Amino acid sequence: MAIVKMRRLYLLTLRQEQDRLLEVLMQLGCVELRPFQEAEEALQLPLSAERSALQQVRGEQQALAQAMEHLKQCGVRFPLLQKRRAVKASVLQDQGRLRKMLSGAAEINRYGREMEAERREIARLQEQAAAMEPWLACAVPLDFETAAPVQLLFGTLPAKAEAEALTKLLEREAPQSAFFLISRTRQRCCVAVLLHRDCRQAAEQALQAYGFRMASFSGLRGTAAEVKAAAEREIAALEEKIARRKEQIAAFASRRQELELALDQVGRKLLLEEAREQGGGDGTLVVLCGWIPAPQEAQLAQALSGLACAFQTRPPVSGEVPPTLLKNPKWMEPINVVTEMYSLPAYGGIDPNPLIFWFYLFFFGFMFADVAYGLILLAVSWAVIRLWDPRGAVGQLMHLGIYLGISTCLCGFLTGGFFGNAIEVIAATFFAVPFEALPLWLQRFSSGIVFNPLTAPMAVLYTTLIIGVIQLLFGQLVHIYMKARDGHPLDGLLDTVPWWLFFAGIALWIFDGGAALLLLGTAALIATQGRKKRGVLAKLAGGAASLYNVTNWLSDVLSYSRLMALMLATSVIATVINTLGALPGSWIAFVPVFLIGHLFNIAVNLIGTYVHAARLQYLEFYGKFYREGGVPFRPLACRTSYTDIIKEE
């Protein structure tokens, strides 16, 4: 249960052996490759970067992903969760199968591109049809042509323009013209002006004073109504084409699993090409470098025994940042998802997962405490795992959900929660059985074996503060261990013990009235907390200033009161839901209120409980010992999304 020790790895092989070497490393799944430039100085070889077909493979992946997206847009159903199919490793390496699906993807994408072009054309035609609306009352073609001296101008004016005033203005400034108002909206007026070309300039100057803007109908033929009707006919024809394109794309629905397999195939191919580009060579030799967990070095030596390959390892040196790999029992691995939401520990830090595992489960169960809610969480998590066997973060969350469901059940059993106070409400409302008439074991359960948060909120508060003190003290003990491990045991003791004396002195002063221990703790803080500063006065000043940190400690302890707040929120909302459902005194009203209300309560408080249980670890607990900033260990391994690989001999 620790951070795995890493060793720097160098691999030297012949160019013709490179592909075999990468395949072996991928099957082994324990080597992370890094760019070869980091090792250039140590190897003293005239190396140059390896070239690969990386861009081509990325293009293939993009084409397959785009085809998948087109299928989704055309109504092909893709389940949110689906169980992976088991396939042999040789199937993923079948390039003929991949080329066949790439050809199918190219056809899907061609239909998709045509459909997008048709949609763009529909949008243009719809815009054109909308633009014709104000001109529909005009029976004159938009491409009106007359004898050369006569011209027709179409344009717009501000909505406030008055037709009579404009008519009089044109009669005065351009007598050889006629003004026609075609339509008026809140935004503008659409007008037409018939005039002789000799007075065009005068007419335009007069109209521009009123904000006249010329309308352009370039390329349009016929009246506005004819243009709109033609656009609508084209839109209908294009929509029929789009419907046919969708049918053509949907015809590939039966090949969905082939497409998913192809995505895994090209994903594997992409990993190999990226690994190839990590290397460097001189035309004959290829050099790769990276990191390998120290316990798997012997496994690597055995795997490379049949290849023309030499390798060398060494421990990390100053300035290098090895990747972080956490090693814990399989049953504890689900808690990784909580740690990784914050940050992996630094390589030289400590694995927090064994430290927070039990705290996190207890905090979640304490806040969400309800037997029924815990059973629902447990059942849903178990069903998802059984039906779909999810991997990655979702899989870890589902496995963690089983633990959280058990913790919620246990805490609910101790605090008397079963859909809140549903037992006593249902018994009293629908069976006329008062609480005192219930069996004694039910009364004992509903009252809370330890305490009931609704009847004893102060007991809950005191419990949460005690829990907070315990976890914070535990974090300080971890800090002492880490300092001792790093060769500074005295620093670990001086960072923590004076604070213990100080707070113990406060407690003794409050309950006993004696201030001797408090004064001793204060003197110890002043003497030790500024010890790293230069000069006696600076050391004492730093120590005195550290007394202000007492507010940080108090705020950390008080933060644990959120355990009470979330427990009360869950219990109170559940109680309100039961009360509202029982008010009409009818099962018909009670059942929907009960189901919808408790579903809402579970959904809202599940998220809040998960977040706040994590927050107490991140801010209060981690602050005492945690060093974040670790780089995740990403070995060269076949990571698939839709399939599980069956290893072949």
Side-chain angles (χ1 to χ4, degrees), residues 609-628:
T609 302
Y610 181 88
V611 169
H612 285 288
R615 182 195 180 282
L616 288 172
Q617 315 300 327
Y618 299 159
L619 298 185
E620 276 66 46
F621 189 49
Y622 280 6
K624 301 299 175 284
F625 68 91
Y626 193 66
R627 297 209 302 264
E628 73 277 3

Side-chain angles (χ1 to χ4, degrees), residues 216-248:
S216 175
F217 298 119
S218 176
L220 301 181
R221 298 288 181 268
T223 64
E226 291 171 345
V227 171
K228 182 183 177 184
E232 290 174 344
R233 287 193 299 272
E234 287 187 56
I235 289 172
L238 288 170
E239 286 177 342
E240 289 181 6
K241 287 184 179 180
I242 288 175
R244 287 197 297 272
R245 297 280 183 268
K246 287 184 176 181
E247 291 175 0
Q248 290 169 324

Side-chain angles (χ1 to χ4, degrees), residues 41-58:
E41 199 173 302
L43 293 169
Q44 297 296 317
L45 291 174
L47 304 176
S48 59
E50 286 286 290
R51 293 185 178 180
S52 69
L54 185 59
Q55 293 304 319
Q56 177 185 342
V57 179
R58 283 176 176 165

Side-chain angles (χ1 to χ4, degrees), residues 390-523:
R391 307 295 173 86
V394 175
Q396 288 184 339
L397 276 174
M398 291 302 105
H399 284 88
L400 183 63
I402 291 178
Y403 293 135
L404 298 178
I406 295 171
S407 175
T408 301
C409 284
L410 292 175
C411 292
F413 176 75
L414 296 176
T415 57
F418 188 87
F419 289 115
N421 62 343
I423 294 175
E424 51 193 278
V425 169
I426 291 173
T429 304
F430 300 105
F431 299 100
V433 178
F435 180 75
E436 295 76 13
L438 292 173
L440 289 178
W441 65 270
L442 265 181
Q443 292 184 42
R444 186 74 183 94
F445 166 74
S446 297
S447 300
I449 295 175
V450 177
F451 50 67
N452 188 301
L454 296 178
T455 58
M458 293 309 297
V460 180
L461 177 60
Y462 296 147
T463 302
T464 60
L465 297 181
I466 292 171
I467 292 169
V469 170
I470 291 172
Q471 190 180 34
L472 294 177
L473 285 175
F474 184 65
Q476 285 189 305
L477 292 173
V478 177
H479 176 78
I480 293 172
Y481 161 76
M482 291 181 64
K483 287 292 185 180
R485 184 200 64 179
D486 296 339
H488 306 287
L490 185 60
D491 282 343
L493 293 172
L494 293 179
D495 286 341
T496 56
V497 174
W499 285 106
W500 297 352
L501 295 174
F502 180 78
F503 285 111
I506 292 177
L508 191 63
W509 180 45
I510 293 173
F511 293 107
D512 190 43
L517 187 58
L518 176 59
L519 293 174
L520 177 62
T522 304

Side-chain angles (χ1 to χ4, degrees), residues 162-439:
E162 297 179 1
E164 293 182 5
L166 283 168
T167 301
K168 292 179 181 179
L169 177 65
L170 288 174
E171 287 176 354
R172 185 176 67 252
E173 300 294 334
Q176 295 176 306
S177 65
F179 174 83
F180 303 94
L181 177 65
I182 297 173
S183 67
R184 183 190 294 271
T185 66
R186 291 182 179 181
Q187 291 79 28
R188 61 182 179 174
C189 295
C190 295
V191 301
V193 181
L194 187 66
L195 47 77
H196 191 277
R197 67 182 179 185
D198 293 340
C199 64
R200 176 168 179 165
Q201 184 176 0
E204 286 184 354
Q205 289 176 350
L207 290 170
Q208 283 173 0
Y210 276 81
F212 178 78
R213 297 181 63 183
M214 190 80 71
S216 175
F217 298 119
S218 176
L220 301 181
R221 298 288 181 268
T223 64
E226 291 171 345
V227 171
K228 182 183 177 184
E232 290 174 344
R233 287 193 299 272
E234 287 187 56
I235 289 172
L238 288 170
E239 286 177 342
E240 289 181 6
K241 287 184 179 180
I242 288 175
R244 287 197 297 272
R245 297 280 183 268
K246 287 184 176 181
E247 291 175 0
Q248 290 169 324
I249 292 175
F252 285 85
S254 59
R255 300 181 65 185
R256 176 178 65 83
Q257 290 188 339
E258 292 181 51
L259 181 58
E260 291 171 345
L261 176 62
L263 275 167
D264 280 349
Q265 284 183 278
V266 81
R268 177 183 180 279
K269 190 176 174 183
L270 182 62
L271 287 171
L272 288 172
E273 293 300 333
E274 287 174 342
R276 185 174 286 108
E277 286 212 341
Q278 298 294 324
D282 63 354
T284 303
L285 298 175
V286 174
V287 175
L288 297 167
C289 64
W291 296 96
I292 182 171
Q296 293 178 287
E297 192 172 346
Q299 188 179 353
L300 175 67
Q302 183 179 357
L304 298 181
S305 60
L307 297 176
C309 175
F311 77 95
Q312 182 180 357
T313 65
R314 61 165 174 80
V317 297
S318 178
E320 290 182 331
V321 182
T324 300
L325 174 64
L326 306 179
K327 181 65 175 176
N328 290 299
K330 191 171 181 62
W331 56 268
M332 194 182 287
E333 287 180 358
I335 201 66
N336 285 1
V337 72
V338 177
T339 299
E340 290 172 5
M341 283 178 61
Y342 179 73
S343 173
L344 279 174
Y347 179 74
I350 191 170
D351 181 3
N353 289 336
L355 307 177
I356 71 169
F357 184 77
W358 301 109
F359 280 118
Y360 187 86
L361 297 186
F362 174 71
F363 289 173
F364 185 97
F366 190 90
M367 288 186 279
F368 206 45
D370 191 285
V371 174
Y373 290 177
L375 291 174
I376 292 171
L377 181 58
L378 177 62
V380 170
S381 301
W382 180 83
V384 171
I385 291 170
R386 290 283 297 182
L387 293 175
W388 294 288
D389 190 21
R391 307 295 173 86
V394 175
Q396 288 184 339
L397 276 174
M398 291 302 105
H399 284 88
L400 183 63
I402 291 178
Y403 293 135
L404 298 178
I406 295 171
S407 175
T408 301
C409 284
L410 292 175
C411 292
F413 176 75
L414 296 176
T415 57
F418 188 87
F419 289 115
N421 62 343
I423 294 175
E424 51 193 278
V425 169
I426 291 173
T429 304
F430 300 105
F431 299 100
V433 178
F435 180 75
E436 295 76 13
L438 292 173

